[in-house]
Amino acid sequence: MHSETIGEAVLENWAPEEVKAALDRHEITLIDVRTPGEYVQGHIEGALLAPMASVPAADLPMAGDKPVVLHCGSGKRSRAVAEACAALGVTSLIHMDGGFMAWRAAGLPYISIDPANGSAHRVADA
């Protein structure tokens, strides 16, 4: 993990393995800001979908009882959402470095939908 400052906010950048460990311990809320189509192609089990294009940063659950970790495909969109949250006055933000691509590259499990029959199944790229 490394941190940086965006205005008045501190943005923590977590590696996928750190996110997985915190998610397994039920310590975080993971928000996927990709499109619904991307989410269906593959997503992290337990991640909530809040597409950047249709869910304003102001509507994200940033003040809940668990820290929120944002992620997208590569990290660019979730970084933009983190910056938008910072502009709204959120002072503590967490972002997954490298997004879903880094998650898959690390061999971590995810959920995919079989286009032939619509069934969900767990996949690990390791």
Side-chain angles (χ1 to χ4, degrees):
M1 174 187 64
H2 65 279
S3 328
E4 59 185 285
T5 303
I6 302 175
E8 299 296 316
V10 173
L11 175 64
E12 293 181 11
N13 295 283
W14 288 12
E17 295 84 357
E18 292 172 299
V19 173
K20 170 92 169 77
L23 191 60
D24 288 348
R25 293 187 305 265
H26 306 285
E27 295 174 347
I28 61 169
T29 298
L30 183 61
I31 298 180
D32 187 332
V33 301
R34 298 176 302 152
T35 67
E38 290 172 303
Y39 185 86
V40 168
Q41 289 176 1
H43 63 274
I44 300 168
E45 189 171 9
L48 304 175
L49 178 62
M52 177 181 172
S54 58
V55 178
D59 291 342
L60 295 175
M62 300 304 283
D65 59 343
K66 296 180 183 179
V68 170
V69 177
L70 302 169
H71 90 87
C72 64
S74 67
K76 291 180 182 177
R77 288 175 284 178
S78 52
R79 167 70 188 229
V81 172
E83 290 173 357
C85 290
L88 292 170
V90 178
T91 57
S92 179
L93 301 160
I94 306 170
H95 171 263
M96 186 169 77
D97 270 340
F100 188 61
M101 289 188 321
W103 181 277
R104 288 186 59 184
L108 298 172
Y110 61 95
I111 302 298
S112 183
I113 304 298
D114 184 337
N117 61 22
S119 66
H121 62 280
R122 185 182 292 255
V123 178
D125 283 343

